[in-house]
Amino acid sequence: MGTVTLGVSIAVPEPYGSLLQERRAAFGDPAAHGIPTHVTLLPPTEIDADALPAVEAHLAAIAESVRPFPMRLSGTGTFRPLSPVVFVKVVEGASACGWLQKRVRDASGPLVRELQFPYHPHVTVAHGITEEGMDRAYDELSTYAAEWSCVSFALYEQGQDGVWRKLCDYAFGGTERGEIPPQGLPHDTPALH
């Protein structure tokens, strides 16, 4: 069956998600419209396609064990010079994100992987663009703030066109399963459910 590239993340809900995605595009990041605004729990990971049912069952079990938690974003940070990234900081909900990402990558599950860098929850707003664009992102979003109740995470697959498409939402235990709307994807891009 081949392989698929998957990611697991917490989507930044509307109206915040689209706004940050549009800002990312305005800073000159060509990948902006192919990546919904999110906090990563599992970075791009290649797996055998036939392992997808096990991945889905693993993620469903994790989500069922989690309660909603508050998320708050405020201000900017950067990983430069180590990595060409500017981000909006997660100032509330970071420990819950850290716990979740460990569960997603747990050695007993199908998504075991080592991370290239220590886990640091964040929302990327510029990646691999000019230094001027990175500086603009850092400065112009330095007073940005948003907050919401995090009630789910989602599984995404990266298409051969580089666009990330949602495969499934995983609502936390005790919450109703709800769709998080796609953010700024081209209208001719089908969403996978």
Side-chain angles (χ1 to χ4, degrees):
M1 253 181 104
T3 62
V4 292
T5 299
L6 302 177
V8 178
S9 63
I10 294 170
V12 175
E14 295 305 330
Y16 315 118
S18 289
L19 182 140
L20 289 175
Q21 191 175 46
E22 290 304 320
R23 296 302 305 271
R24 184 171 178 172
F27 297 135
D29 192 329
H33 289 293
I35 305 172
T37 309
H38 68 281
V39 175
T40 299
L41 299 176
L42 177 75
T45 301
E46 190 173 304
I47 67 159
D48 289 330
D50 58 3
L52 197 53
V55 168
E56 292 170 339
H58 173 65
L59 296 176
I62 293 169
E64 186 57 36
S65 72
V66 179
R67 296 276 181 251
F69 57 89
M71 289 282 288
R72 188 163 55 92
L73 309 178
S74 182
T76 51
T78 184
F79 294 132
R80 294 184 291 177
L82 191 58
S83 181
V85 173
V86 172
F87 57 86
V88 173
K89 295 186 280 187
V90 175
V91 295
E92 186 174 4
S95 61
C97 291
W99 182 85
L100 276 171
Q101 65 88 27
K102 283 182 188 173
R103 295 280 311 273
V104 168
R105 296 184 304 103
D106 189 81
S108 67
L111 294 171
V112 179
R113 72 162 288 170
E114 294 296 318
L115 298 179
Q116 184 177 1
F117 301 105
Y119 182 73
H120 182 86
H122 64 279
V123 177
T124 298
V125 291
H127 180 233
I129 60 173
T130 66
E131 288 298 315
E132 179 187 25
M134 302 278 263
D135 291 342
R136 276 187 55 221
Y138 188 88
D139 294 340
E140 292 178 20
L141 292 172
S142 65
T143 60
Y144 182 81
E147 59 184 281
W148 69 93
S149 179
C150 182
V151 298
S152 67
F153 58 77
L155 174 64
Y156 291 82
E157 180 180 351
Q158 186 178 36
Q160 293 194 0
D161 57 1
V163 174
W164 287 91
R165 294 176 179 87
K166 183 170 46 177
L167 296 178
C168 188
D169 277 316
Y170 295 92
F172 296 160
T175 64
E176 290 185 27
R177 190 170 298 270
E179 288 292 311
I180 297 171
Q183 304 157 11
L185 292 178
H187 294 293
D188 60 347
T189 303
L192 304 178
H193 297 282

